[in-house]
Amino acid sequence: MVKICCIGAGYVGGPTMAVIAIKCPAIEVVVVDISKPRIDAWNSDTLPIYEPGLDDVVKACRGKNLFFSTDVEKHVAEADIIFVSVNTPTKTRGLGAGKAADLTYWESAARMIADVSKSDKIVVEKSTVPVKTAEAIEKILTHNSKGINYQILSNPEFLAEGTAIEDLFKPDRVLIGGRETPGGQKAVQALKEVYAHWVPEENIITTNLWSAELSKLAANAFLAQRISSVNAMSALCEATGANVSEVSYAIGKDSRIGPKFLNASVGFGGSCFQKDILNLVYICECNGLPEVANYWKQVIKINDYQKSRFVNRVVSSMFNTVSGKKIAVLGFAFKKDTGDTRETPAIDVCKGLVGDKAQVSIYDPQVTEEQIQRDLAMNKFDWDHPMHLQPTSPTAVKQVSVVWDAYEAAKGAHGVCILTEWDEFKKLDYQKIFDNMQKPAFVFDGRNVVDAEKLREIGFIVYSIGKPLDGWLKDMPAVA
Ligand SMILES: NC(=O)c1ccc[n+]([C@@H]2O[C@H](COP(=O)([O-])OP(=O)(O)OC[C@H]3O[C@@H](n4cnc5c(N)ncnc54)[C@H](O)[C@@H]3O)[C@@H](O)[C@H]2O)c1
Ligand SMILES: O=c1ccn([C@@H]2O[C@H](COP(=O)(O)OP(=O)(O)O[C@H]3O[C@H](CO)[C@@H](O)[C@H](O)[C@H]3O)[C@@H](O)[C@H]2O)c(=O)[nH]1
C-alpha cells in the first residue's frame, strides 16, 4: 500500500488529503501537524475549517484510509510520498522584510524529514514557495541524506476557499514539476498516478521544477491583477457615471478576456493574493528586474487604494465624520462561504472607521468575536504563523462589538457597510433595517449585492462600488 503523509493540517493540507483519500481507497493518507488543537479538531465532529462538502468527505474516509495525527516523525518515516503544506508567511524582519517568503517552517520540516527518514522519499512542495525553493530543499535533504534518495516535486495547489472540495474534485489542472532526470521523471510519474485516480490525464500538466513553482505565483498575480484592474475602473465609473457591472459584462463578453474575476469589490483579501504578489515582487527585485517588480506592486497599491477609498466614501458621506456614530459592518470573512478572515478587506475598513472614532458593530455568519478581535489587534502578517505562535489574548478594540444578527448590528446605526457577499445579505428585510436606523440612513455596498434602487425607494442613501452615484454622494468629496 502506498503511504502518503502530509505535513501541515491547514486549509490546504486537510482538504487536499481528504480528497486524495476518498479518491484513492488503496492509499493510506496521514495528515500531521505540530498543532494539537488543530489535529484534535480534525478528529472531532467540528472540523477546524468551514468548507462546503468537507465534512462529508472527511467522515467518509476518516479512520479508514485517512488519519490525522501529531506523531509527525513516525508518519513521515513511514511514508513514500511526503507533501509539505506548512505556512510560508511574509517575512516581517530582516532581509526582505515585508515582501520575501519566510521559509522557517518549510526548512524545519525538511530538516525533520532528513532526520527521521530511513527509506527513499518523494517530497512534494504543496505550500506556495519562491522559485528555486526546491533547490534549497534538495540541498538540505541531500546534505543529510545518509544514502537515502530524495526526489523533490513541485505540486502547487490552486483551490479557492469556499469551493475547495469542488475545485479538488474537478481541478482545471493539476501541475507537477520535477527534475528532468530519470529519477525526477519517475517521481513525477508516481505522483501523476495518484491524481490519475480521478483527474483526466489531459488535465495533469508536467513541467520542470521552476516553471511549476513560478506558475503558482503567476496564476495568483494574474487573478489579483484582474480584480485590481476592475477596481481601478470602478473609481473611474463613479467619476463618470458609467456602471462597473455593465463595463465588466461588456468586456467579459470578449472571449479573449472572459467573464470571470471581474467583480468590482471593496478589495481582494485572502491568505494568498497579497502574500504571493509580494513574494513575486521580491524575486523580481532580487533578479535585478525593478520595472517588473513595480508593475506587480501596483496591483497591491490599487487594492490598498480601493479599501481606503471605501472608508473615505463612508466618512465623507456622513458630513466628514463618523465620530461616535454607530456603523454596522455586515460580513467580515474575505469572501462568502468561508470563515477565513486572513487579509480580509474588512480588517482595513474597520480599522479605518475605528481610526475615525466610529462605533463599529460587526455581524458575520461564520466568524467569531474572538477571531475578529484578534484580527483587529494583530500586527500585519502575524496571522500567517502556526496558531501556538500567535498572540493569545490581544487587547480587544473597545469601539468594536460583534453580534450574531444583521438586524442587531444595524439597530440604531447611521450607516451599514456590506463587506462580504454572503447570500443572506441579499434577502434581508431592509425596510425593517431602515425603520430601526438613524436618519439619514446610509448603505455602503462594498460587494454590489443589494438592489440599490429598491433601497433608495425605502429611503436609504446608497453607495454601490463603481455604480452611478446618488445625488447626495456626488456633492461629497470622493477621495480625501
Ligand atoms: N489557503 C489557501 O487557499 C491556499 C491555496 C493554495 C496554496 N496555499 C499555500 O499553502 C500553504 C499552506 O497554507 P494553509 O492555508 O493551509 O495554511 P495553514 O496555516 O492553514 O496551515 C499550515 C499548517 O502547517 C502547520 N505547520 C507549520 N510548521 C509545521 C511543521 N514544521 N510540522 C508540522 N506542521 C507544521 C501549522 O501548524 C498549520 O496548521 C501556504 O504556503 C499557502 O500559501 C494556500
Ligand atoms: O471578481 C472577483 C473575484 C474575487 N474577488 C476577491 O478576491 C479575493 C480572493 O478570492 P478567491 O480567489 O476566490 O479566493 P482564494 O481562496 O484566495 O483563492 C485564490 O488564492 C488561492 C491561494 O493561492 C489559489 O489557490 C486560488 O486559485 C485563488 O483563486 C476575495 O477577497 C474575493 O472576494 C473580487 O473582489 N472580485
Side-chain angles (χ1 to χ4, degrees):
M1 192 185 212
V2 174
K3 287 192 177 183
I4 288 181
C5 175
C6 175
I7 307 176
Y11 285 87
V12 171
T16 48
M17 292 304 121
V19 167
I20 290 183
I22 204 165
K23 295 292 185 183
C24 312
I27 296 180
E28 182 190 283
V29 183
V30 186
V31 192
V32 297
D33 203 291
I34 41 175
S35 163
K36 188 172 180 311
R38 223 172 203 185
I39 291 297
D40 287 347
W42 280 111
N43 283 320
S44 75
D45 285 338
T46 315
L47 301 185
I49 59 176
Y50 169 70
E51 197 58 66
L54 177 64
D55 281 34
D56 293 342
V57 178
V58 170
K59 274 182 198 145
C61 42
R62 192 172 57 192
K64 293 180 188 143
N65 68 329
L66 175 68
F67 304 91
F68 296 92
S69 169
T70 49
D71 200 345
V72 181
E73 299 190 356
K74 172 179 182 285
H75 294 291
V76 166
E78 287 175 359
D80 307 293
I81 304 177
I82 302 165
F83 286 82
V84 184
S85 185
V86 299
N87 320 60
T88 49
T90 305
K91 274 183 89 169
T92 48
R93 300 173 66 170
L95 192 65
K99 281 180 281 196
D102 177 350
L103 293 178
T104 311
Y105 305 110
W106 233 110
E107 184 172 338
S108 82
R111 288 186 186 279
M112 183 269 300
I113 295 171
D115 278 350
V116 304
S117 294
K118 293 184 183 67
S119 55
D120 293 352
K121 308 281 182 212
I122 296 173
V123 178
V124 186
E125 290 176 346
K126 200 52 155 164
S127 301
T128 304
V129 290
V131 195
K132 294 276 178 179
T133 298
E135 195 168 69
I137 301 305
E138 224 168 41
K139 281 183 183 145
I140 293 171
L141 293 172
T142 48
H143 278 83
N144 297 281
S145 77
K146 300 169 284 188
I148 291 166
N149 181 267
Y150 293 102
Q151 286 299 331
I152 322 292
L153 300 179
S154 165
N155 172 221
E157 185 48 60
F158 296 103
L159 68 80
E161 283 174 35
T163 53
I165 296 300
E166 218 177 300
D167 295 341
L168 289 164
F169 276 174
K170 281 187 94 172
D172 284 348
R173 78 308 205 181
V174 164
L175 176 58
I176 306 174
R179 283 278 184 202
E180 286 147 315
T181 58
Q185 289 308 298
K186 204 171 149 212
V188 168
Q189 194 52 36
L191 186 56
K192 208 172 159 184
E193 276 164 23
V194 172
Y195 285 107
H197 280 84
W198 78 99
V199 181
E201 176 144 14
E202 62 274 19
N203 290 2
I204 306 179
I205 304 170
T206 57
T207 64
N208 77 25
L209 272 170
W210 325 131
S211 303
E213 288 178 336
L214 185 55
S215 298
K216 173 64 196 176
L217 299 180
N220 275 353
F222 272 58
L223 289 169
Q225 182 216 42
R226 273 175 83 94
I227 302 168
S228 278
S229 297
V230 79
N231 281 344
M233 284 298 162
S234 76
L236 190 55
C237 285
E238 288 167 29
T240 56
N243 178 328
V244 76
S245 301
E246 293 175 357
V247 173
S248 291
Y249 184 74
I251 63 171
K253 275 286 179 190
D254 184 327
S255 60
R256 293 166 303 175
I257 295 174
K260 293 184 181 166
F261 261 69
L262 287 178
N263 290 324
S265 64
V266 58
F268 60 73
S271 63
C272 298
F273 282 174
Q274 174 172 279
K275 180 180 78 163
D276 294 351
I277 294 175
L278 288 170
N279 189 346
L280 186 66
V281 165
Y282 183 68
I283 296 167
C284 294
E285 286 172 356
C286 291
N287 281 283
L289 301 167
E291 287 79 5
V292 186
N294 286 335
Y295 174 77
W296 290 112
K297 223 186 264 175
Q298 197 59 26
V299 172
I300 293 176
K301 281 193 185 161
I302 288 287
N303 200 45
D304 289 339
Y305 165 73
Q306 190 74 347
K307 290 181 273 189
S308 65
R309 204 168 75 76
F310 186 85
V311 174
N312 291 345
R313 278 282 187 212
V314 176
V315 178
S316 68
S317 309
M318 294 185 170
F319 318 103
N320 232 16
T321 179
V322 287
S323 180
K325 291 177 186 166
K326 180 175 174 184
I327 307 288
V329 165
L330 303 188
F332 198 83
F334 81 98
K335 63 187 227 186
K336 73 170 182 177
D337 292 339
T338 175
D340 194 353
T341 59
R342 298 181 291 179
E343 291 294 344
T344 174
I347 295 177
D348 289 330
V349 171
C350 289
K351 281 184 174 171
L353 295 172
V354 167
D356 228 295
K357 299 194 182 154
Q359 296 290 332
V360 179
S361 182
I362 304 173
Y363 162 69
D364 187 290
Q366 282 297 332
V367 187
T368 62
E369 175 164 14
E370 191 202 349
Q371 185 61 49
I372 290 173
Q373 287 291 1
R374 281 164 73 86
D375 288 333
L376 294 177
M378 219 183 287
N379 291 326
K380 209 168 162 57
F381 305 129
D382 272 2
W383 53 266
D384 205 3
H385 290 267
M387 217 105 82
H388 64 284
L389 299 177
Q390 290 176 14
T392 43
S393 49
T395 332
V397 181
K398 288 202 187 69
Q399 280 161 260
V400 171
S401 62
V402 179
V403 294
W404 278 100
D405 178 76
Y407 300 102
E408 187 61 32
K411 197 188 270 173
H414 292 255
V416 172
C417 298
I418 300 173
L419 301 185
T420 311
E421 71 281 23
W422 287 104
D423 290 335
E424 64 178 73
F425 298 157
K426 291 182 192 158
K427 298 178 210 134
L428 291 171
D429 180 347
Y430 282 96
Q431 182 68 56
K432 181 174 159 188
I433 289 180
F434 181 80
D435 292 343
N436 289 319
M437 283 177 68
Q438 308 277 344
K439 308 294 172 331
F442 296 83
V443 168
F444 301 93
D445 185 358
R447 297 288 186 167
N448 287 339
V449 291
V450 298
D451 182 337
E453 279 319 310
K454 274 200 183 138
L455 263 59
R456 285 184 186 120
E457 278 164 26
I458 293 173
F460 282 105
I461 294 160
V462 185
Y463 166 70
S464 308
I465 291 266
K467 301 286 179 89
L469 296 175
D470 276 10
W472 180 290
L473 296 160
K474 267 190 202 145
D475 299 335
M476 304 288 172
V479 185

